[in-house]
């Protein structure tokens, strides 16, 4: 099948030589015309992948409770910017805002900001969230500069482009080039020092032939956000798949129609992500002087926030069919062999305020 993005990438490689994974991932996800997020709604059973808020309303409701609690602990600022990064179909925020309806003063104080690159998903967000008067912005630099901020992001950080380095009698960086038969394939160039500068020293010392993943874009995002939190006060919550401790390993992956495939096969047609290095997220934020919680598994986080009690309450008025659906979603979100352990949670705050769930 003809793939216009493949042609664009191939031409670019012909002209300028192999590109790094970050450039490749940015083009595949964000090319203005053919990028994955520009052309489709990837979520749900008929799409490519399903996220926690799409599995059950309980997820967004509990995040709503977390947000309201954080707002309370921040001293109930009014106004404050409520921000979601990569809101998908707007489901999490819709559930969160329904769940916080009865928190006195919360909705009046809240100014909703959505950071979204996909025109298709923005439309879906409009339908669900327009009554809350959202403002769409490109990044945290678009936030008001004079109000506290509470920010959440579920499966956002994993979409930020990564790069890979590995030791092979010297440090090399993974590149994407063209093989003889005109397919995309991996190669290596000498790694630039700027990239090695963001690899943890103990990883450098290992000089392993296995890849290590870094994301200058993610680091830059966390630094910018941390500075906003410090200056304007506030808290941020990130939930994603990834590891609590920085570790070697290739986690660059492509998912299409709920199946893994090669990230190099159908550029722009599959969702490209990498596991989030949560230790790095905490390290970068702490480097900017921001308080970070420990990194905990999603299952533990949701249980501490009361997901089992919420499930009981929903089941009390549910049909038998709904009861089994609630039980199965509860299992998917919290069990170790499902999303309970692979998914991790971290929060950042301008100060050492105790935040719910940790
Ligand atoms: N949070 C949602 C959707 C997760 S999918 C959920 O849990 O269902 C990733 C989301 O991040 C999508 O909305 C995608 O369009 C958005 N996104 C990915 N990279 C982005 C970027 N660089 N800037 C803004 N939004 C981005």
């Amino acid at each position: 099948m003809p793939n216009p993005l493949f042609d664009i990438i191939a031409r670019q490689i012909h002209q300028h030589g192999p590109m790094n994974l970050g450039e490749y991932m940015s083009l595949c996800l964000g090319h203005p015309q053919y990028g994955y997020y520009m052309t489709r709604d990837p979520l749900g059973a008929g799409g490519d992948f399903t996220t926690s808020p799409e599995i059950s309303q309980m997820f967004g409701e509990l995040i709503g409770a977390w947000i309201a609690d954080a707002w309370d602990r921040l001293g109930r600022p009014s106004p404050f910017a409520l921000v979601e990064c990569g809101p998908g179909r707007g489901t999490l925020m819709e559930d969160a805002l329904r769940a916080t309806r009865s928190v006195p003063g919360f909705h009046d104080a809240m100014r909703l900001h959505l950071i979204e690159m996909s025109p298709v998903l923005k439309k879906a967000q409009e339908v669900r969230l327009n009554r809350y008067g959202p403002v769409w912005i490109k990044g945290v630099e678009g936030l008001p500069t004079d109000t506290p901020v509470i920010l959440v992001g579920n499966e956002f950080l994993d979409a930020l482009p990564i790069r890979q380095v590995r030791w092979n009698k010297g440090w090399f960086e993974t590149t994407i080039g063209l093989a003889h038969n005109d397919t995309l394939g991996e190669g290596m160039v000498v790694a630039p020092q700027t990239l090695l500068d963001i690899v943890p020293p103990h990883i450098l010392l290992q000089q392993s032939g296995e890849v290590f993943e870094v994301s200058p874009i993610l680091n830059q995002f966390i630094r910018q956000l941390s500075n906003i939190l410090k200056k304007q006060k506030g808290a941020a919550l990130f939930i994603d798949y990834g590891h609590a401790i920085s570790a070697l390993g290739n986690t660059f992956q492509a998912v299409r129609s709920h199946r893994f495939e090669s990230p190099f096969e159908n550029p722009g047609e599959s969702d490209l992500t990498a596991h989030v290095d949560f230790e790095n997220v905490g390290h970068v934020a702490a480097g900017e002087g921001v308080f970070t919680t420990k990194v905990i598994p999603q299952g533990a986080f949701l249980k501490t926030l009361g997901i089992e009690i919420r499930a009981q309450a929903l089941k009390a008025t549910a049909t038998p069919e709904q009861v089994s659906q609630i039980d199965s979603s509860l299992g998917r979100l919290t069990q170790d062999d499902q999303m309970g352990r692979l998914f991790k949670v971290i929060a950042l705050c301008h100060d050492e305020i105790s935040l719910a769930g940790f």
Side-chain angles (χ1 to χ4, degrees):
M1 248 208 310
N3 177 324
L5 190 56
F6 175 88
D7 296 341
I8 290 168
I9 290 170
R11 206 175 319 133
Q12 204 160 315
I13 294 172
H14 270 306
Q15 284 167 358
H16 306 288
M19 59 177 71
N20 68 50
L21 270 190
E23 294 169 289
Y24 179 72
M25 206 170 156
S26 298
L27 280 170
C28 289
L29 295 179
H31 183 277
Q33 211 177 343
Y34 303 114
Y36 179 75
Y37 279 117
M38 298 303 133
T39 54
R40 73 200 73 214
D41 174 352
L43 291 154
D48 292 319
F49 58 94
T50 302
T51 56
S52 298
E54 302 296 333
I55 290 173
S56 166
Q57 68 182 78
M58 295 187 286
F59 188 81
E61 289 169 349
L62 289 170
I63 301 300
W66 186 91
I67 293 168
D69 179 76
W71 178 66
D72 189 50
R73 293 183 202 228
L74 291 171
R76 302 184 163 236
S78 180
F80 79 100
L82 176 59
V83 193
E84 183 172 2
C85 298
R89 291 178 173 165
T91 310
L92 183 158
M93 195 47 82
E94 186 183 36
D95 291 336
L97 292 176
R98 187 185 58 252
T100 50
R101 253 185 330 212
S102 58
V103 178
F106 179 83
H107 277 237
D108 286 341
M110 177 272 290
R111 305 285 180 271
L112 184 60
H113 289 76
L114 305 172
I115 297 178
E116 178 54 72
M117 72 190 287
S118 160
V120 185
L121 291 174
K122 187 178 166 218
K123 284 226 171 65
Q125 293 157 22
E126 263 162 13
V127 172
R128 292 214 160 102
L129 299 170
N130 249 358
R131 62 184 179 282
Y132 299 108
V135 178
W136 279 270
I137 52 177
K138 290 221 164 68
V140 286
E141 64 281 358
L143 285 172
T145 53
D146 53 355
T147 62
V149 169
I150 300 178
L151 178 146
V152 296
N154 183 60
E155 291 207 36
F156 171 73
L157 297 178
D158 66 60
L160 300 182
I162 54 136
R163 293 167 69 173
Q164 294 181 337
V165 294
R166 95 187 68 167
W167 178 264
N168 184 5
K169 299 190 197 125
W171 284 101
F172 285 85
E173 174 174 16
T174 307
T175 55
I176 314 298
L178 281 172
H180 293 305
N181 56 356
D182 257 2
T183 55
L184 295 172
E186 286 186 47
M188 286 197 288
V189 293
V190 171
Q193 185 57 39
T194 46
L195 207 56
L196 298 177
D197 286 344
I198 57 173
V199 178
H202 70 278
I203 299 283
L204 289 175
L205 275 175
Q206 284 183 47
Q207 301 193 330
S208 168
E210 252 195 273
V211 297
F212 184 75
E213 294 170 339
V214 288
S215 174
I217 292 179
L218 179 145
N219 287 11
Q220 167 69 9
F221 168 77
I222 295 291
R223 266 197 303 273
Q224 257 182 310
L225 169 64
S226 298
N227 282 301
I228 290 172
L229 294 181
K230 231 171 37 185
K231 192 169 134 263
Q232 298 170 218
K233 295 191 170 39
L237 180 74
F238 293 104
I239 304 159
D240 227 306
Y241 40 88
H243 30 278
I245 303 288
S246 300
L248 295 163
N250 184 355
T251 72
F252 185 47
Q253 66 182 39
V255 168
R256 183 149 77 139
S257 301
H258 302 269
R259 289 210 188 91
F260 289 108
E261 64 173 31
S262 158
F264 308 117
E265 244 158 51
N266 301 296
E269 300 281 328
S270 57
D271 185 39
L272 298 184
T273 63
H275 285 203
V276 174
D277 177 350
F278 277 88
E279 184 179 22
N280 171 65
V281 171
H283 179 74
V284 172
E288 300 300 314
V290 161
F291 167 74
T292 66
T293 63
K294 50 185 192 207
V295 179
I296 60 169
Q298 167 167 306
F301 178 71
L302 293 178
K303 283 182 189 165
T304 310
L305 290 182
I307 194 167
E308 286 151 326
I309 297 161
R310 183 68 190 129
Q312 282 304 331
L314 286 173
K315 277 166 29 176
T317 55
T319 63
E321 200 183 313
Q322 288 167 331
V323 166
S324 75
Q325 216 251 323
I326 293 164
D327 281 334
S328 111
S329 327
L330 178 65
R332 275 180 84 180
L333 293 175
T334 60
Q335 277 169 15
D336 277 359
D337 57 352
Q338 307 229 18
M339 300 170 87
R341 189 167 50 183
L342 174 62
F343 280 69
K344 310 282 191 306
V345 191
I346 192 171
L348 319 178
C349 188
H350 67 277
D351 201 0
E352 191 169 346
I353 291 173
S354 96
L355 294 161
F358 290 93

